[in-house]
Amino acid sequence: MFRKRSVITFACLAVVGVMVGGAVWAARQLPNIRLQNDIETWLAEDDEQAEALKRMEAYFPKEERIVVSWDSSDLADPRMAELRDRLTNVKFVSKVRTAADLVQQMTQWKVDHKEAVVRLTGVLIGRIDKNTDSSPTQAVDQCPNVSAVVTLSSAGQADPAAAIEAIRMAALESGVPESELHVGGEVLTSLAVDREVWTATWNSVDPLQRPPVFAISALSGILLAVFVLRSVRVGLLVTVAAWFTALTTTALFPATGHTMNMVTIVMPTLLVVLTVSAAIHVVNYWRRAASTGTESPLREAVKIGWRPCLLATATTGAGLSSLAISRLGPIRDFGVFSTIGTVLSFVVAVFAIPAMLRLFRIPPGSIRSEHAVWRRIALKVCRHRKAITAGWIVAGLAAACGLQWLQTEVKVGRYFPDDSQLIQDSRFFEQNVGGISSVDVLVHFGADDADRKLFLDRLELIREIENTLRQHPNVSGAISLADFQPKLARPAADAERSVRMKDVLRSRRTESKIKNGERAASAEYLSVPLPSDDEWTLSDPVDETWRITVQTLLSDDLDYGVLAQQLSSIVEDRLTATTETWFDVTGSVPVFYRAQAALLNSLMRSFGLALFVIAVAMMVLLQSVPAGLMSSLPGILPIAVVFGLMSWRGYVLDIGTMLTGSAAMGIAVDDMLHLLTWFRESIRQGDSREEAVVHALRHCGAAMTQTTLVIALSLLLLFPADLLLISRFGWVMAALLGVAWLSSVMLLPALLAGPLGRMIEKGCVGEARQSKVQWPLTVPP
């Protein structure tokens, strides 16, 4: 006996030692975590839109740009030129272009001044309201706001926060009031997400104004665990185990060279939820076993709890691992690492918790007299089981009807409240200047394009396409190389030969000027594959890629997929496709659409696989196909009810909201499996279905309630987060857990008292006759 106890103690020491070593390793890795929220890098390399983006960057290298303006700016504002001059020698900036600079460049290339202003309207100069009768020429005289485009250097791309601060300081030194300054661009959005994530985790600057909600949620979880478990040491052990699981798994990101993002940032909270749920059940098993006077309550608790915990881990892990096949990199990382964390949560709950309880010699304490409460609840559920079952099914179907309007959202700007500086600046640009979200249209002409042999023919075609794109209601403006060239009268096909020859010579001079003398200035809009030291000659074959940048309005509730298709149709209608002539519609807007579509597909596959695995697990556990399908119902309904109601109300589901489904399903299945374990054992002992429901709820009701209280209340404290992605994750997760709890204590017992219990009862009759072992422990009445 002494040797056996020594072996157990040594095993417990080994488990705790591994945890300490893992915690030390994680502490060294966590400072190396990096955030990356560039959605353009999310898609798989072989994705159609990702390949189009690669083609564009092959012709036009990617540049990080920041747009700057202020309330009192206009085309004649001298502060714009001063800002440009101040930024010229800043190491974070490679070039600065103001609206006045581009107007001047156009006029130098023989474009009328007013026409130049009109062409830049909605791009760098205040856009024209397409719903009014004002003409472009009249809008020129209204002195609209203007903006400057700052392109970051390699140093600025490496440290965008410092670059933005340098731009702000240069604007203030140029005489721009800080209250009037507006800065926009995708760089600022990514930085804002990173900043809000870190602020939500720990904010030492102004914690009272912007509380670190993750830290507050974690602290509240500890206090709630201590309260519901009625023991400081037990509550601390449960929270330590949960955060060990979360932080150790998170440390795998820097250890494996991966970066975190707005998707994976919610993973630690998910793992805390799963670990706390399993740990509280194990603690309750331990206390129940101790109340019977058994010699080794911890061993009995592990004996009872490992099977339902393992099944819950398997079903939850299956749902999460299905995300690993997503074409979105962050979703794939979330699936892989959260699956690893889910397995670790099972090991920690079933082995580490008992090991720590034994080594620290923590007494189980007295069991609160809760039998009467849960007995009354169970009896009422059994008595009204038909009404409860029908009510839940009707409510679930009614809510699920809203899923037909399920919409997803990956527009990062929508993750911030309306009063945030980022949204206010974006709104200023879109209302006073133009859209800051762009679509790039690439048109490539090859040598076999016989219809457009002259350079001016190709230029005028680009102008025609651009002007048509400008008319789209979701487009504020567009710019291309054609805007820098005057629109000249072209000779008709039946014109005299001398007139046509003059046009040919003019086209060749223009082509030579742009491809040779103005090659650097036009490189942003026209790509010609010539070595830098070579000159273009007439003998060179046609090989050109033209770029039209279209500015779209992010604030509009546009469907990115429809917009991309409509813009593609406009180009296709005006372009005669030949062997070496093609076009692409790419840029941030189409990439966002592809990410949104891939996100929805990942969610559907994940849910489908998770539901399938849950159903199969229930069929195997209950040894009945109908019973397995029926027992899966309480795990599905919480998601159908909450997501369905959100869709009914018009909520758009973002990334964080969707990821709550896997966690909520895991908790619901966890509670469901523990309840089924006790119900089946009671049936094996010869009890009636009603008595078995009472028996199961007396054993599991408290643990399910404690789990829901600890997790849901602590997650609700994420609601004040400025980053709506985190805020929505918190309250949606709490809502799912609340509905899952109601489903576990009402719908599942009602089914067990009715048809589901009848099927289980038939399957357990033979087992009960052959069984000689009384398991789990019998609890005194």
Side-chain angles (χ1 to χ4, degrees):
M1 180 66 70
F2 179 77
R3 179 177 298 177
K4 184 176 181 180
R5 289 181 178 177
S6 299
V7 171
I8 294 175
T9 302
F10 177 78
C12 292
L13 285 171
V15 170
V16 174
V18 170
M19 288 186 66
V20 172
V24 172
W25 171 81
R28 293 180 176 178
Q29 296 293 333
L30 290 173
N32 299 322
I33 288 179
R34 296 189 304 277
L35 294 175
Q36 172 58 264
N37 287 299
D38 184 2
I39 294 183
E40 292 185 1
T41 64
W42 285 21
L43 296 176
E45 292 185 358
D46 60 345
D47 184 89
E48 178 183 351
Q49 191 51 238
E51 291 179 345
L53 195 62
K54 282 182 184 177
R55 284 194 294 271
M56 186 185 77
E57 293 178 355
Y59 293 108
F60 305 97
K62 183 178 178 180
E63 295 180 332
E64 298 288 356
R65 297 172 181 171
I66 296 173
V67 187
V68 184
S69 185
W70 48 88
D71 295 343
S72 56
S73 64
D74 58 46
L75 199 57
D77 193 336
R79 292 173 294 182
M80 277 290 178
E82 186 175 351
L83 172 65
R84 177 199 60 208
D85 296 339
R86 286 183 180 275
L87 291 175
T88 301
N89 297 321
V90 175
K91 68 175 183 178
F92 301 114
V93 176
S94 63
K95 62 182 177 181
V96 182
R97 293 178 304 167
T98 68
D101 292 338
L102 289 184
V103 169
Q104 183 181 7
Q105 184 178 354
M106 289 180 180
T107 55
Q108 289 175 351
W109 287 10
K110 310 303 182 183
V111 177
D112 179 74
H113 180 273
K114 283 193 173 184
E115 177 63 22
V117 173
V118 171
R119 292 180 182 183
L120 287 174
T121 297
V123 181
L124 293 181
I125 299 177
R127 68 188 183 96
I128 302 167
D129 188 352
K130 297 177 182 179
N131 297 319
T132 66
D133 296 330
S134 60
S135 66
T137 305
Q138 292 173 335
V140 172
D141 301 325
Q142 297 174 0
C143 297
N145 292 116
V146 298
S147 61
V149 177
V150 181
T151 303
L152 300 186
S153 63
S154 56
Q157 295 178 23
D159 192 356
I164 293 170
E165 183 61 26
I167 293 170
R168 289 184 181 275
M169 291 302 300
L172 296 179
E173 292 170 357
S174 300
V176 179
E178 186 173 4
S179 59
E180 292 189 13
L181 182 62
H182 301 283
V183 184
E186 295 177 9
V187 178
L188 277 90
T189 303
S190 297
L191 282 176
V193 173
D194 295 349
R195 182 178 63 252
E196 293 301 331
V197 168
W198 290 123
T199 300
T201 304
W202 184 256
N203 182 14
S204 59
V205 180
D206 53 348
L208 296 180
Q209 295 294 327
R210 304 177 66 191
V213 291
F214 276 131
I216 293 175
S217 177
L219 178 60
S220 300
I222 296 174
L223 298 176
L224 287 168
V226 170
F227 173 75
V228 301
L229 294 173
R230 305 183 308 280
S231 170
V232 174
R233 288 192 289 176
V234 174
L236 288 175
L237 283 184
V238 168
T239 52
V240 165
W243 281 103
F244 167 80
T245 302
L247 296 179
T248 302
T249 307
T250 304
L252 292 174
F253 279 89
T256 56
H258 287 74
T259 58
M260 297 193 73
N261 47 67
M262 69 182 79
V263 176
T264 54
I265 198 63
V266 300
M267 187 196 71
T269 305
L270 166 65
L271 296 179
V272 168
V273 167
L274 297 176
T275 309
V276 166
S277 175
I280 287 179
H281 278 289
V282 171
V283 168
N284 276 272
Y285 285 143
W286 166 57
R287 286 177 168 173
R288 294 288 182 187
S291 68
T292 64
T294 184
E295 181 181 354
S296 181
L298 282 173
R299 184 174 60 188
E300 294 297 333
V302 173
K303 180 181 177 182
I304 298 170
W306 76 268
R307 188 172 299 168
C309 287
L310 180 60
L311 286 172
T313 298
T315 53
T316 305
L320 293 172
S321 63
S322 66
L323 297 174
I325 62 176
S326 171
R327 298 181 67 81
L328 285 178
I331 299 293
R332 186 167 56 249
D333 288 346
F334 182 91
V336 171
F337 289 104
S338 59
T339 302
I340 296 173
T342 301
V343 175
L344 180 59
S345 71
F346 165 77
V347 175
V348 168
V350 176
F351 297 104
I353 290 288
M356 290 188 290
L357 290 173
R358 179 183 178 87
L359 288 179
F360 297 146
R361 300 183 181 277
I362 299 176
S366 59
I367 300 295
R368 182 181 296 177
S369 179
E370 298 167 333
H371 299 321
V373 175
W374 289 108
R375 179 180 178 84
R376 285 196 298 270
I377 293 174
L379 290 176
K380 286 186 177 181
V381 169
C382 292
R383 189 175 303 118
H384 304 288
R385 61 181 180 273
K386 292 183 179 179
I388 291 174
T389 302
W392 268 96
I393 293 176
V394 170
L397 290 175
C401 289
L403 294 175
Q404 61 184 311
W405 298 294
L406 179 71
Q407 296 181 7
T408 61
E409 178 65 271
V410 293
K411 299 174 186 175
V412 184
R414 299 291 183 86
Y415 297 154
F416 296 89
D418 289 339
D419 60 350
S420 66
Q421 187 63 46
L422 180 71
I423 298 301
Q424 289 180 357
D425 287 346
S426 298
R427 186 176 295 118
F428 169 83
F429 282 110
E430 295 193 350
Q431 292 177 351
N432 299 281
V433 182
I436 57 175
S437 183
S438 62
V439 176
D440 288 297
V441 177
L442 303 186
V443 180
H444 181 86
F445 297 106
D448 66 338
D449 193 350
D451 294 336
R452 288 175 283 271
K453 286 296 184 182
L454 294 181
F455 181 80
L456 289 182
D457 289 339
R458 299 191 292 274
L459 184 144
E460 290 304 323
L461 176 63
I462 295 298
R463 191 194 307 277
E464 178 186 350
I465 294 173
E466 179 187 355
N467 289 336
T468 308
L469 293 172
R470 280 197 182 106
Q471 303 308 312
H472 193 283
N474 294 115
V475 171
S476 68
I479 188 170
S480 72
L481 182 63
D483 292 318
F484 294 84
Q485 295 296 318
K487 184 172 178 59
L488 302 174
R490 306 295 306 287
D494 57 350
E496 295 182 3
R497 185 172 183 276
S498 61
V499 175
R500 287 187 281 112
M501 286 302 298
K502 288 181 180 180
D503 185 65
V504 171
L505 292 174
R506 181 174 58 188
S507 177
R508 290 177 177 176
R509 285 198 301 268
T510 303
E511 185 172 10
S512 177
K513 176 183 176 181
I514 290 175
K515 292 183 177 180
N516 293 324
E518 303 291 346
R519 184 188 304 180
S522 61
E524 184 177 346
Y525 309 102
L526 176 66
S527 175
V528 181
L530 293 173
S532 58
D533 56 346
D534 280 1
E535 291 287 322
W536 173 84
T537 63
L538 289 174
S539 60
D540 290 333
V542 175
D543 188 5
E544 303 165 352
T545 305
W546 297 65
R547 178 184 186 180
I548 306 172
T549 299
V550 180
Q551 301 301 127
T552 62
L553 303 175
L554 183 64
S555 61
D556 288 348
D557 290 326
L558 56 87
D559 186 322
Y560 278 173
V562 174
L563 175 63
Q565 292 174 0
Q566 291 173 345
L567 298 183
S568 296
S569 298
I570 291 173
V571 180
E572 188 174 10
D573 290 344
R574 285 156 181 79
L575 189 65
T576 303
T578 57
T579 307
E580 296 182 23
T581 302
W582 49 262
F583 74 93
D584 274 327
V585 176
T586 184
S588 60
V589 170
V591 167
F592 283 162
Y593 165 71
R594 293 292 294 183
Q596 183 173 338
L599 176 63
L600 185 58
N601 292 335
S602 298
L603 174 70
M604 296 306 177
R605 284 198 300 267
S606 174
F607 280 175
L609 182 57
L611 294 177
F612 174 77
V613 172
I614 290 173
V616 171
M618 291 301 175
M619 292 174 193
V620 174
L621 176 65
L622 302 178
Q623 300 179 0
S624 169
V625 173
L629 293 175
M630 188 177 296
S631 62
S632 303
L633 190 61
I636 302 172
L637 275 179
I639 296 173
V641 169
V642 175
F643 282 9
L645 289 177
M646 291 179 66
S647 298
W648 271 112
R649 292 294 304 275
Y651 282 98
V652 178
L653 278 63
D654 58 32
I655 299 170
T657 304
M658 292 179 179
L659 294 176
T660 60
S662 300
M665 192 178 296
I667 299 296
V669 170
D670 190 18
D671 291 342
M672 191 167 57
L673 289 169
H674 287 287
L675 196 69
L676 284 171
T677 298
W678 290 104
F679 176 84
R680 295 178 70 223
E681 185 54 34
S682 184
I683 292 294
R684 288 194 189 99
Q685 294 176 0
D687 294 337
S688 66
R689 293 197 302 274
E690 185 174 295
E691 292 172 336
V693 169
V694 174
H695 182 76
L697 275 178
R698 284 168 53 190
H699 282 78
C700 296
M704 291 189 297
T705 304
Q706 291 166 358
T707 298
T708 303
L709 284 175
V710 172
I711 299 171
L713 292 180
S714 59
L715 286 175
L716 277 176
L717 294 175
L718 297 178
F719 180 78
D722 288 339
L723 189 62
L724 298 184
L725 179 83
I726 298 174
S727 176
R728 291 170 187 157
F729 177 83
W731 72 260
V732 173
M733 186 70 181
L736 284 168
L737 292 177
V739 177
W741 177 80
L742 289 173
S743 176
S744 298
V745 300
M746 293 180 64
L747 177 59
L748 182 56
L751 292 173
L752 291 174
L756 176 59
R758 190 178 302 114
M759 287 184 279
I760 294 176
E761 191 176 31
K762 290 180 181 178
C764 290
V765 169
E767 298 178 20
R769 292 174 179 172
Q770 300 175 4
S771 177
K772 297 181 180 180
V773 180
Q774 295 296 320
W775 181 90
L777 303 170
T778 57
V779 179

